[in-house]
Amino acid sequence: MNESVWSPMKFSVYRSFWICAFLSNLGTWIQDVAAGWVMTHLNTSPLVISLLSFSSSLPILFLSIPAGYVADLGHRRNILLFAQGLMFFAAGLLAYLVWQEKVTELSLLGLSVVMGIGLALTNPAFQSVLTDLVPSHLQAQAVLVYYMGINITRVLGPTIGGGLLSGFGPGSAFFVNSISFLGLIIFFYRWPVHAAAGSAEAAAAPKIKLQPEDWIPLFSLHNLKLWIEIFLVTFCASSLWALYPTRGRVEMGLSSLQYGSLLGFFGLGACLSAILSDKIMLPHRTHKSLAGSYIIYALGVLILGFAPNYGFLCAAMFLAGTGWLVLATLMNMSSRQITGKSHLKATMLGVFLAVFYAGMALGSVTWGAIAKLSHSSMALLIAGILLMLIGFAKGLRAAF
């Protein structure tokens, strides 16, 4: 890259977007800590706790593709405003229920579904907007700077969440998350997001006319292997997201600050991968990097399953975070690349998200059920071994 990584920040529209997205992501991580904390107080069953991850992932499976298609038809701004408003309402209602001590397992899961619906509607359009706010030659830097912000929130959010839980209770965390959506709501209301910043044709972008060939990359047999791999990996990887609340809060009795710091260590691992991204995420070594990330994440899952104390839990989450950033980013970029000249960019991202979260949703409830029938350590052992085998198999294919 000839341009500085931070070059997109020169554009005020991108800078405003980045700040608003940063605050929204920060609120999301704060709420994740609080939601897991509240659920473990309402019910200690691993299956019920795992439904929290399942309920937020399930809507993405069904709504991501249609949401991406609607965005590609030119309605990104409207769908983003609606989705952000929906999540603002759900988080605010959850804060009220917790403060009034009226929250139940059903209401927490139901509002998690609503949050998942908002996320499903947001993600395809949101990710396509990301690269439309800067000139085309700065799009790679725009994506990288955005993910740097996410990694920072992965560290700060859980830490702040743990502090809010300890000092003010879980209701404050849900309230902070609700407020965090206001920045993006104001941004999408004020700024048209259909054209690239700095482009001469920004004011007169032609209406996209979809052709039959635009649909070919989405469901071709050539790409079927990619979708299968993404599903299998996320199916196994979901075990950590589904069961870390059980391991940390229920089985090891962590304090609110210790519990919140688990996701903080996950974020630190992600930050390490981001720092080394120019070495480990090079296009010519994508398959090797993915194989390595699967194995590293699997090690984190295995250590989480048998960690004897808080220190080992932190090490497990750090390793998992290191692998997660690489696998999630490279899977995302692979999906972007196979669109070719198709106009259905957001729809393709919707397909990727649907497959990704299908694995997350189905995996969460599966590992929760296995943990209920046996033990969380057994579920994490099976998931870790399966993911490690997938990593070794991919590594061998990449080597020959």
Side-chain angles (χ1 to χ4, degrees):
M1 299 179 184
N2 295 324
E3 297 274 359
S4 166
V5 170
W6 298 100
S7 294
M9 288 295 197
K10 294 186 297 185
F11 296 90
S12 60
V13 63
Y14 179 85
R15 190 166 59 249
S16 298
F17 171 82
W18 189 93
I19 292 171
C20 294
F22 179 90
L23 293 175
S24 180
N25 285 321
L26 189 66
T28 298
W29 286 109
I30 291 172
Q31 170 156 319
D32 279 355
V33 173
W37 181 265
V38 170
M39 183 57 86
T40 56
H41 278 76
L42 294 172
N43 199 309
T44 58
S45 166
L47 178 58
V48 175
I49 294 172
S50 70
L51 288 177
L52 195 59
S53 177
F54 173 79
S55 62
S56 60
S57 299
L58 190 63
I60 304 176
L61 166 62
F62 295 105
L63 297 177
S64 287
I65 297 176
Y69 179 67
V70 172
D72 281 324
L73 292 178
H75 305 294
R76 288 184 295 179
R77 190 163 178 259
N78 291 335
I79 199 170
L80 285 166
L81 281 171
F82 174 78
Q84 295 295 314
L86 185 66
M87 290 188 286
F88 168 78
F89 168 78
L93 180 56
L94 197 49
Y96 172 78
L97 291 175
V98 172
W99 265 325
Q100 295 296 314
E101 298 184 352
K102 294 181 178 179
V103 68
T104 63
E105 295 101 316
L106 187 59
S107 61
L108 181 56
L109 290 174
L111 288 170
S112 294
V113 171
V114 176
M115 295 290 288
I117 291 172
L119 190 61
L121 297 176
T122 293
N123 268 339
F126 190 91
Q127 294 199 36
S128 64
V129 165
L130 175 61
T131 53
D132 280 358
L133 297 175
V134 297
S136 57
H137 68 283
L138 291 178
Q139 290 185 0
Q141 290 95 323
V143 173
L144 184 56
V145 172
Y146 172 71
Y147 278 108
M148 285 181 178
I150 289 181
N151 293 328
I152 296 172
T153 63
R154 279 193 173 107
V155 178
L156 295 179
T159 304
I160 296 173
L164 289 173
L165 284 174
S166 178
F168 303 97
S172 62
F174 294 120
F175 177 74
V176 168
N177 184 44
S178 179
I179 297 300
S180 74
F181 291 111
L182 290 177
L184 282 175
I185 291 173
I186 295 171
F187 175 85
F188 290 129
Y189 178 78
R190 292 185 58 192
W191 292 99
V193 294
H194 60 273
S199 61
E201 60 276 11
K207 186 175 179 62
I208 294 175
K209 294 183 179 180
L210 299 178
Q211 303 297 329
E213 55 268 23
D214 285 323
W215 296 92
I216 295 175
L218 270 68
F219 306 105
S220 68
L221 292 176
H222 175 74
N223 299 323
L224 182 60
K225 289 192 293 185
L226 174 63
W227 304 135
I228 292 174
E229 179 180 330
I230 290 173
F231 175 82
L232 292 175
V233 169
T234 54
F235 182 87
C236 296
S238 67
S239 59
L240 180 137
W241 296 103
L243 297 176
Y244 89 86
T246 298
R247 289 288 293 138
R249 176 70 190 122
V250 178
E251 296 177 2
M252 303 197 73
L254 299 183
S255 68
S256 56
L257 285 175
Q258 288 176 322
Y259 178 78
S261 70
L262 291 182
L263 281 179
F265 277 96
F266 186 94
L268 285 174
C271 284
L272 176 62
S273 289
I275 293 171
L276 300 175
S277 61
D278 59 337
K279 297 179 181 179
I280 62 179
M281 292 196 224
L282 296 174
H284 67 274
R285 57 168 299 161
T286 294
H287 295 294
K288 291 182 179 179
S289 295
L290 278 171
S293 70
Y294 299 166
I295 294 171
I296 291 172
Y297 189 95
L299 284 173
V301 171
L302 292 172
I303 294 173
L304 180 70
F306 296 94
N309 53 47
Y310 169 67
F312 277 89
L313 285 179
C314 293
M317 297 299 283
F318 181 85
L319 278 175
T322 305
W324 178 261
L325 178 74
V326 177
L327 72 86
T329 302
L330 290 182
M331 284 178 177
N332 187 303
M333 296 307 296
S334 297
S335 299
R336 289 175 183 267
Q337 291 166 1
I338 61 179
T339 56
K341 296 182 179 180
S342 172
H343 289 119
L344 295 170
K345 304 294 183 182
T347 309
M348 175 58 81
L349 288 168
V351 175
F352 160 70
L353 291 167
V355 175
F356 190 96
Y357 282 95
M360 294 293 290
L362 296 176
S364 294
V365 71
T366 300
W367 303 121
I370 293 174
K372 181 175 176 61
L373 293 173
S374 56
H375 195 272
S376 62
S377 296
M378 178 59 67
L380 290 164
L381 174 65
I382 296 171
I385 291 175
L386 287 175
L387 185 54
M388 190 164 288
L389 290 174
I390 294 172
F392 280 126
K394 188 172 184 66
L396 288 174
R397 288 199 304 271
F400 296 100

